Amino acid sequence: MFKSSYIYLFLLIGFFASCTSTEDQHSNKTSFRYNEFGGISSLDPAFAKDQSLIWPCLQMYNGLVSFNEHLEIQPCIAKSWEISTDGLIYLFHLRSDVFFHRNNLFENKDSTRTVCANDFVFSLNRLTSKAVASPGSWVLNSIEKNNVGILSGVAALNDSTLQITLSNPNPAFLGLLTMPYCSVVPKEVVEHYGNDFRSHPCGTGPFKFSFWKEGVRLILLKNENYFRTDSNGKHLPYLDAVEVSFISDKQSSFIEFLKGNIDFMSGLDASYKDELLTRNGNLQAKYRNKFVMETEPYLNTEYLGFMLESNSDESKMLGDLHIRSALSYSIDRKKMISYLKNNIGIPGNYGFVPPGIPSFDSTVVGFPYNIQKAKEELKLSGHEEGKGLSEITLSTTGNYLDLCEFIKNQWEEIGFKIKIDVNQAAVHRKMVAEKKLAFFRGSWLADYPDAENYLSLFYTKNFSPNGPNTTHFSNKEYDELFDRSMKETTDSTRFRMYRRLDQLAIEQAPVIILYYDKVLRLHQNNIQGLKSNAMNLLMLESVKKEN
């Protein structure tokens, strides 16, 4: 422990002293600091499957396209592109001024080289390689493949032109390419390190890898060769470094933020929510001038799911739409959000697609709180006031126990008998995927901001464990409309199809929508240019920090 702390201290001293010999220059060095509670398991973008990995990968890597703060697709390494009228062929024109981070494995030692179209051919094929076993290989499922699984639909026409051919139209394809999975990586470095590329990353992003002691500290330094500039032509990024700590206790991390030792925090934890926020979701008065808080709709839907394809007695009982409707109508979501989330959330009174998605429409109606309708549905099921109902088990994880206890109390008031079963998160996910839970808590966070990402959870061909349809909801009309929507290239027409799909699914109640989450971000007053977004992506290339 002493040795690793010494190395970290040595690196920081070197960073702040190497480029300067005067006190004034030293004081101009800026480092953005945040904490990652759960640690980081890899710095390889092929494994960037959750926020803890996505955030550092966003700093070190780039892809063909990216998002701005409004989640609009914008050029990145591809300066422009064309799409064929049938939606099958994408032609990307690459910038000529994008360089990989310096590395001694390039032809000229401790040098760099320009990114070319063949780098994307390598990187995208690597993503689908069985030897790599990336959890993001599904992102490229719509690209043409040959009989041995190679992406025959990805071709470098020359150094600056990449052509991607799809086997079927996919209106969400550009959005998929924004994911860190699709980042460009250099073949020389990847093949040299193999699996150890996870701890020897090399990309093109605004920050380059410097130091990583797992569970202790990650340090990224400014990439002096970064290709993006601000509106005045000044090269980005403004920051000199990014530092990530790994304090596992959320309350301790919050205290470090209050002391000014951390620049940024995201999310609301029960250990400090009442200390931070009023019941209405406003900052407590004592903090209003100490730092900045931002909230906005988050592309995350929290729900309860029913396994509809099971022969268990419990599943048969929950297979009754009247029972599922009664459960859904009897939840006071507004009260739940107020008491448990300090109003940081939106009651789940609509469909599965959350506010913030371009096609969201509040006319898609779910099951808003209505205790009278709940009792009527229970009566229609043949179980008025819960008579004859057997016990229902709701499976969840420890982080959501308070939420499930709140709902349990409301259900028991109208006659349901409820048992809550708490599982470890990994065990819970496995049991859901394997159809072992009749009734379970779940959440769906968008991989990309298109409603298809949500609606695919109710498509028959996506049954788990090979797909995200963990309820095994199946509806012929739904499937046919979903297929048609995937071939529709006109946004307005496709969005109308999405809304109909959302309504079709929610009427059959394979899930109970609890709430749509909100992004909550805190940062110190001396941080400028940190823009929030509905996917809670951490974008630091344009951030400034005053000393």
Side-chain angles (χ1 to χ4, degrees), residues 58 99 112 213 250 265 393 444 499 507 538 543 545:
L58 285 174
F99 300 92
T112 182
K213 177 65 177 178
K250 294 186 178 183
M265 287 189 65
T393 299
W444 191 259
R499 290 163 192 149
E507 285 173 356
L538 186 60
V543 170
K545 180 178 177 180

Side-chain angles (χ1 to χ4, degrees), residues 22-35:
T22 70
E23 187 174 343
D24 287 343
Q25 288 175 316
H26 172 88
S27 66
N28 287 331
K29 293 293 180 181
T30 54
S31 180
F32 184 92
R33 304 159 301 174
Y34 76 88
N35 184 64

Side-chain angles (χ1 to χ4, degrees), residues 297-315:
Y298 190 19
L299 301 189
N300 180 45
T301 299
E302 296 286 345
Y303 67 95
L304 306 177
F306 300 94
M307 168 45 64
L308 301 178
E309 189 189 49
S310 174
N311 293 322
S312 71
D313 291 339
E314 188 171 13
S315 285

Side-chain angles (χ1 to χ4, degrees), residues 289-305:
N289 296 318
K290 293 190 175 182
F291 46 81
V292 176
M293 184 183 83
E294 295 178 317
T295 63
E296 67 173 285
Y298 190 19
L299 301 189
N300 180 45
T301 299
E302 296 286 345
Y303 67 95
L304 306 177

Side-chain angles (χ1 to χ4, degrees), residues 165-215:
T165 304
L166 307 186
S167 53
N168 294 291
N170 184 348
F173 184 64
L174 280 178
L176 287 166
L177 290 180
T178 65
M179 298 176 68
Y181 289 134
C182 300
S183 301
V184 68
V185 292
K187 182 177 181 179
E188 307 96 306
V189 181
V190 171
E191 291 190 342
H192 175 81
Y193 285 109
N195 292 336
D196 284 338
F197 184 69
R198 65 179 286 279
S199 56
H200 295 83
C202 181
T204 61
F207 298 92
K208 58 189 177 183
F209 177 73
S210 176
F211 169 78
W212 180 29
K213 177 65 177 178
E214 295 187 47

Side-chain angles (χ1 to χ4, degrees), residues 32-36 40 56 216-220 242-246:
F32 184 92
R33 304 159 301 174
Y34 76 88
N35 184 64
E36 184 53 63
I40 292 173
V216 180
R217 190 79 54 167
L218 169 67
I219 302 174
L220 310 178
V242 177
E243 297 178 60
V244 186
S245 57
F246 301 105

Side-chain angles (χ1 to χ4, degrees), residues 195-348:
N195 292 336
D196 284 338
F197 184 69
R198 65 179 286 279
S199 56
H200 295 83
C202 181
T204 61
F207 298 92
K208 58 189 177 183
F209 177 73
S210 176
F211 169 78
W212 180 29
K213 177 65 177 178
E214 295 187 47
V216 180
R217 190 79 54 167
L218 169 67
I219 302 174
L220 310 178
L221 300 182
K222 178 177 183 174
N223 174 16
E224 301 288 353
N225 293 321
Y226 191 53
F227 60 93
R228 278 180 165 164
T229 60
D230 63 17
S231 57
N232 296 317
K234 179 179 174 59
H235 274 276
L236 299 173
Y238 301 117
L239 295 164
D240 293 295
V242 177
E243 297 178 60
V244 186
S245 57
F246 301 105
I247 303 169
S248 59
D249 182 71
K250 294 186 178 183
Q251 190 170 27
S252 297
S253 178
F254 178 62
I255 291 171
E256 290 301 302
F257 175 78
L258 294 182
K259 289 161 62 176
N261 295 329
I262 293 175
D263 295 311
F264 166 80
M265 287 189 65
S266 175
L268 185 67
D269 188 72
S271 65
Y272 58 77
K273 69 180 180 68
D274 294 323
E275 165 69 16
L276 181 68
L277 300 177
T278 66
R279 184 66 69 191
N280 292 326
N282 298 314
L283 265 179
Q284 296 283 5
K286 61 183 176 180
Y287 294 130
R288 286 175 192 166
N289 296 318
K290 293 190 175 182
F291 46 81
V292 176
M293 184 183 83
E294 295 178 317
T295 63
E296 67 173 285
Y298 190 19
L299 301 189
N300 180 45
T301 299
E302 296 286 345
Y303 67 95
L304 306 177
F306 300 94
M307 168 45 64
L308 301 178
E309 189 189 49
S310 174
N311 293 322
S312 71
D313 291 339
E314 188 171 13
S315 285
K316 288 178 181 177
M317 179 178 67
L318 294 173
D320 186 337
L321 179 58
H322 294 301
I323 293 289
R324 301 199 302 275
S325 299
L327 288 166
S328 196
Y329 273 127
S330 58
I331 300 173
D332 189 341
R333 295 164 175 85
K334 185 177 180 181
K335 184 177 180 181
M336 177 181 70
I337 293 294
S338 175
Y339 276 84
L340 300 180
K341 297 279 292 177
N342 291 63
N343 240 29
I344 303 300
I346 301 168

